Amino acid sequence: CLQTLDIRALLDHIHVVLTRALAPAYTVKLTDRAMQEMMVISFLDLIFRQVEKMQVDVIVEKLVEDGVFALVIQHFEKFSKTFDEKFCRAYYFFLANLFDTEYFRSKIPVFFPSKDEKKRFAGIFESPVKAFVAAHPDCKKPLRPLSDTVLRFK
C-alpha cells in the first residue's frame, strides 16, 4: 500500500489538516478517531513504522521543511487531554520511529533549533509517555528512542 502512496502529497494533506485543526476558529472536539484530524497521526505512525524501507531522508526532510513536525507537536499539546490511549499510542510510536532514524540522530537541531524548544517538547511528553510505558511495559523497548529523547531534553 505504501509503495503506491505519494508520500509528499500525503504530507501536504497532513499539513493542511493540522493547520486547520490548530486555527483559533477551530471548535470541533477531537474525540472521533475517524476524523481527519485524528487519522493523519495514524498515517504518520504507519509511514514511520516502515520508513527504513523508503527514502528516509526525503520523507523526514519534507516533514521538517514543511512544518509538519512542528504541527504534530502543537496538535498533541493542544488536544492530548481529549485523546484516548490508542490514539496517544500512534503519536508515541510515530515519534519513537522518527527519533530512531539516522537522519534525526544526526540532525537534531533541524527539529529542535533551541534549548527552549527541547525543554518544551520534554515538558509536553514526559508525563504522558512515562505513564503509558508504565501501563504497557511491553512498549518500553520500542518507545525507547522517544523516552531517551525526552530525558535528554529535560
Side-chain angles (χ1 to χ4, degrees), residues 1 11 32 35 37 39-40 49-50 56 72 77-78 82 86 93 104 113 124 127 135 140 142:
C1 175
L11 290 174
D32 182 359
M35 293 177 66
E37 294 82 350
M39 290 301 298
V40 295
R49 284 177 188 256
Q50 301 181 41
V56 178
V72 167
E77 183 177 31
K78 182 174 180 180
T82 65
K86 288 181 183 177
F93 274 85
F104 175 81
I124 294 167
S127 292
K140 185 175 184 173

Side-chain angles (χ1 to χ4, degrees), residues 53-98:
K53 298 176 187 172
M54 298 181 259
Q55 294 178 316
V56 178
D57 292 357
V58 172
I59 294 169
V60 179
E61 282 175 13
K62 180 144 181 73
L63 189 74
V64 175
E65 288 172 6
D66 290 0
V68 173
F69 177 75
L71 290 170
V72 167
I73 304 307
Q74 292 170 32
H75 186 258
F76 186 86
E77 183 177 31
K78 182 174 180 180
F79 298 110
S80 64
K81 290 182 179 32
T82 65
F83 297 158
D84 66 22
E85 189 176 75
K86 288 181 183 177
F87 190 65
C88 288
R89 180 185 183 100
Y91 260 100
Y92 304 152
F93 274 85
F94 156 63
L95 290 170
N97 287 316
L98 169 62

Side-chain angles (χ1 to χ4, degrees), residues 133-148:
V133 169
H136 304 280
D138 57 311
C139 292
K140 185 175 184 173
K141 185 176 179 182
L143 292 180
R144 187 78 189 229
L146 172 58
S147 299
D148 289 351

